[in-house]
Amino acid sequence: MSTTVTAADTYITENVIDTEGWAESDAAKRQRLLNAAERTLIRYYSKYTIPDDAVYEFAAALATVYSDVMIAGQRGVQATSLSGVTSTTFREGQRELVNLIPQACRDIVGDANGVTLPARKVGRLVL
């Protein structure tokens, strides 16, 4: 793989619908997003070849999730109220990066490897 910020800029501008989070990120943050996306995909889909385009798709999704507006939600904030008194509500649990992989990214990895990678489903196991 040879992911670069320049190549990601081109791919995201031409192929991703929501580019605001990526566009608002500086070069250092874009590189961190690419690193996190690539590392997560390689770890989670270790049996498969990961195309650069899949990394770019995931990096764009991460840029949106970790944008200045959305970062509070990633840190557990559910609601904030400013009506003379500040009130903040937090949710429980932590979201793992692997849970943020968009289906478009799974499709790219699947197509490159001749397999179908459906969304990860969470359910109960009955023994």
Side-chain angles (χ1 to χ4, degrees):
M1 275 188 273
S2 59
T3 59
T4 65
V5 171
T6 303
D9 287 340
T10 301
Y11 178 88
I12 291 168
T13 300
E14 293 175 359
N15 297 288
V16 176
I17 294 171
D18 186 358
T19 62
E20 189 173 339
W22 182 262
E24 291 176 355
S25 299
D26 61 22
K29 183 173 182 178
R30 289 178 186 185
Q31 186 63 58
R32 288 191 305 273
L33 291 164
L34 282 174
N35 294 344
E38 185 172 38
R39 184 177 56 247
T40 302
L41 290 171
I42 288 171
R43 186 177 304 126
Y44 192 67
Y45 295 116
S46 59
K47 297 188 296 187
Y48 303 111
T49 300
I50 309 298
D52 292 346
D53 291 355
V55 175
Y56 302 148
E57 279 287 337
F58 190 25
L62 291 176
T64 299
V65 171
Y66 288 98
S67 68
D68 290 340
V69 173
M70 300 296 287
I71 194 69
Q74 286 301 317
R75 293 183 177 150
V77 176
Q78 276 188 318
T80 302
S81 174
L82 298 171
S83 58
V85 177
T86 301
S87 172
T88 305
T89 305
F90 293 92
R91 68 172 157 74
E92 303 219 8
Q94 179 181 350
R95 292 180 73 181
E96 298 292 328
L97 290 180
V98 71
N99 296 329
L100 301 173
I101 298 172
Q103 187 60 47
C105 182
R106 286 180 175 83
D107 293 343
I108 293 169
V109 173
D111 290 347
N113 292 278
V115 297
T116 299
L117 299 174
R120 185 174 156 203
K121 302 218 186 226
V122 177
R124 293 185 181 193
L125 176 64
V126 178
L127 297 174

